[in-house]
């Protein structure tokens, strides 16, 4: 049923699966077989997110298909929300798979960053989900400028503001504790 497919698309343990060729073999098959365009794109994004930085750039036709998938998700608020973890945690491999280095990739990275920024105002999301957008922005900057490059002052300011916001937004000690590792990673 569609509900079963939706449950499967939300499975977060793909990195733990190594049998039958692992996720690299399974996710494209699921993307092809899923019953709705939204679920096909969700599985396709998960497959793209598994790309290693050491992988050769995809062929232009594959890159164009990846860009079509990514742009469709970014254009649809419901899909953006459903794919928020994949997008935020894998921003770099997704953008690299969907656009060649240069202006096209930079524009796509800006578009993804802008889309992820919409999570900050979504009170239906956890503080951790809302904080993850700035982590993706840092990763995209470092992928373009190099890991050793200093973050722009504006981005540093944003990180400090978001971490302070998350600390204040925590409703109890358990929620605050769950944010510590994300906040520490962003501040380091």
């Amino acid at each position: 049923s569609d509900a079963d497919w939706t449950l499967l698309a939300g499975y977060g343990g793909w990195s733990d699966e190594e049998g039958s060729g692992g996720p690299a073999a399974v996710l494209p098959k699921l993307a092809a077989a899923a019953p709705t365009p939204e679920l096909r794109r969700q599985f396709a994004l998960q497959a793209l997110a598994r790309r290693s930085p050491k992988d050769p750039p995809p062929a232009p036709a594959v890159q164009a298909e990846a860009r079509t998938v990514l742009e469709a998700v970014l254009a649809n608020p419901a899909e953006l929300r459903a794919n928020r973890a994949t997008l935020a945690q894998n921003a770099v491999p997704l953008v690299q798979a969907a656009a060649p280095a240069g202006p096209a990739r930079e524009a796509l990275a800006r578009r993804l960053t802008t889309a992820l920024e919409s999570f900050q105002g979504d009170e239906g999301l956890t503080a951790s989900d809302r904080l993850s957008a700035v982590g993706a922005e840092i990763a995209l900057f470092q992928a373009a400028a190099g890991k050793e490059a200093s973050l722009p002052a504006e981005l540093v300011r944003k990180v400090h503001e978001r971490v302070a916001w998350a600390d204040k937004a925590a409703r109890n000690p358990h929620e605050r504790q769950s944010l510590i590792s994300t906040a520490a990673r962003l501040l380091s």
Side-chain angles (χ1 to χ4, degrees):
S1 74
D2 283 357
D4 293 332
W5 277 97
T6 300
L7 181 65
L8 184 59
Y11 174 63
W14 292 113
S15 61
D16 299 334
E17 302 295 327
E18 293 304 326
S20 303
V26 173
L27 288 167
K29 291 176 185 173
L30 292 171
T36 67
E38 295 83 6
L39 287 170
R40 287 191 289 274
R41 286 189 288 270
Q42 190 166 359
F43 284 116
L45 277 181
Q46 291 175 22
L48 291 169
R50 305 261 322 143
R51 288 184 48 79
S52 165
K54 297 175 184 172
D55 289 345
V62 173
Q63 210 162 49
E65 183 178 329
R67 185 178 185 108
T68 299
V69 167
L70 185 54
E71 287 180 340
V73 170
L74 295 178
N76 182 319
E79 285 189 69
L80 180 65
R81 196 171 201 275
N83 290 286
R84 68 188 176 276
T86 301
L87 293 165
Q89 295 168 13
N90 302 286
V92 172
L94 291 171
V95 169
Q96 288 174 341
R105 184 177 292 168
E106 292 165 12
L108 189 56
R110 281 191 304 275
R111 187 159 177 221
L112 175 56
T113 299
T114 300
L116 291 174
E117 278 293 312
S118 70
F119 296 157
Q120 185 60 28
D122 188 339
E123 294 188 17
L125 296 176
T126 66
S128 183
D129 280 342
R130 295 164 73 181
L131 193 56
S132 67
V134 75
E137 189 172 352
I138 291 168
L140 288 165
F141 172 81
Q142 289 176 330
K147 286 225 179 251
E148 301 306 317
S150 295
L151 297 178
E154 171 77 13
L155 185 51
V156 171
R157 182 191 56 72
K158 184 189 292 188
V159 168
H160 285 270
E161 286 175 359
R162 296 288 168 82
V163 168
W165 166 84
D167 183 46
K168 288 178 186 168
R171 295 177 296 250
N172 57 57
H174 297 336
E175 188 175 18
R176 182 171 286 115
Q177 172 118 16
S178 74
L179 293 168
I180 288 174
S181 62
T182 301
R185 180 178 49 82
L186 294 174
L187 291 169
S188 63

